[in-house]
Amino acid sequence: MAVVPAVAVVAAVVVTDTTKEFIMKTFRIVLPMIILLSITLVAFARGPGGGVGGGGTNGTGGGGGRIALDAAEEIHLLFMRAEEKLAHDVYEALGREFPDYAIFSNIMNSETNHVETMIEKIEQFELTDPNILDGPGEFNAANFGAYFTEKYTALTDVDADPQIPPLLQALLNGALIEELDMHDIIYCPEIIVETVADISDQYGCGMDYTDAKALIRSYGNLLDGSENHLRAFVRVLETNYTASDYPEFFTEDGLYKAQYLSQDAVDEILGR
């Protein structure tokens, strides 16, 4: 709609005192409306994300997200993808070994979700999934494959020590996986610190290192899941075994002894 300039309106009428007063009143009413309309049209053109056409303009998936990760964030994300696969594959194997104990298959299903979450983050940040072709117990050499293969072999061998009942060993291994997973989510895993030249300590990658909100949210969800899994393994372990029979796996109070995290950290997770 064309807006008639105020000057044209003034020129088209006989200028009297009454006319002047009318013009000024009209001008005071119309001008704010014109300004408001202009602001509205500009805002509409820019869209809800502040850029033309709507949506964020500086991040993956809009909303002001990160375009890319730095090298340490990439290494850690790909590592966690493999570590969640490790947990899934170990629980799958233990579930076959102990079909009467649903804890292994139940937590395996949860680990499936964790693996899918990591794959989603890999795709979101336009990385290549190094473990996409790996079968159960298989780990791509390019993504710490030797490390994860060794872990898988050790954690699925529940008959290595004849003095330890296989079920007890399986439950201990499950609890160990969750303790290790929680550390590696928050901090840089030891194997990365030991082998990656540009990362010198546990603060060089992990959830505490990154500022990518998408990663922080996903890692937080993994952390919550691992805490729940640890509680489940400890509950079954303490129900079936006691410190009097296997004191090396229990504290002086007869409770589960931490294997990787500090005892205080584990006790806090367990609500003790």
Side-chain angles (χ1 to χ4, degrees), residues 66 69-76 185-188 198-199 201-212 215-216 219:
R66 294 273 296 279
L69 303 177
D70 67 24
E73 290 168 324
E74 288 186 11
I75 291 171
H76 183 258
I185 290 169
I186 299 173
Y187 303 112
C188 214
D198 294 333
I199 298 177
D201 57 40
Q202 67 174 351
Y203 303 106
C205 70
M207 187 171 76
D208 273 7
Y209 167 88
T210 186
D211 62 358
L215 287 184
I216 293 171
Y219 288 156

Side-chain angles (χ1 to χ4, degrees), residues 72-241:
E73 290 168 324
E74 288 186 11
I75 291 171
H76 183 258
L77 174 57
L78 298 180
F79 181 94
M80 290 311 305
R81 189 274 192 249
E83 186 155 285
E84 297 304 326
K85 179 184 185 302
L86 171 68
H88 171 278
D89 292 358
V90 168
Y91 298 149
E92 183 179 42
L94 296 179
R96 291 194 301 268
E97 184 81 10
F98 305 99
D100 294 334
Y101 290 85
I103 185 172
F104 298 110
S105 59
N106 288 343
I107 296 182
M108 179 200 73
N109 291 334
S110 178
E111 295 297 345
T112 299
N113 295 332
H114 290 187
V115 169
E116 291 174 352
T117 295
M118 292 296 92
I119 292 175
E120 288 173 2
K121 295 302 104 179
I122 289 172
E123 293 174 349
Q124 177 179 345
F125 289 101
E126 300 181 355
L127 304 177
T128 299
D129 181 2
N131 299 102
I132 192 66
L133 299 178
D134 294 344
E138 297 176 351
F139 299 91
N140 189 334
N143 190 27
F144 301 94
Y147 168 84
F148 285 113
T149 299
E150 181 180 352
K151 289 289 186 186
Y152 177 82
T153 300
L155 292 166
T156 54
D157 183 5
V158 295
D159 298 312
D161 189 339
Q163 303 300 316
I164 304 175
L167 177 60
L168 173 57
Q169 186 65 70
L171 294 169
L172 287 167
N173 289 355
L176 174 59
I177 288 173
E178 301 305 332
E179 288 189 46
L180 179 64
D181 199 39
M182 284 184 277
H183 173 277
D184 292 351
I185 290 169
I186 299 173
Y187 303 112
C188 214
E190 289 184 13
I191 187 64
I192 293 181
V193 175
E194 293 171 357
T195 59
V196 177
D198 294 333
I199 298 177
S200 59
D201 57 40
Q202 67 174 351
Y203 303 106
C205 70
M207 187 171 76
D208 273 7
Y209 167 88
T210 186
D211 62 358
K213 293 181 179 179
L215 287 184
I216 293 171
R217 284 193 297 269
S218 294
Y219 288 156
N221 291 335
L222 296 188
L223 197 60
D224 290 342
S226 289
E227 290 179 353
N228 289 333
H229 299 167
L230 178 62
R231 295 185 192 105
F233 280 122
V234 170
R235 183 167 55 250
V236 176
L237 191 156
E238 291 180 346
T239 298
N240 288 273
Y241 301 96

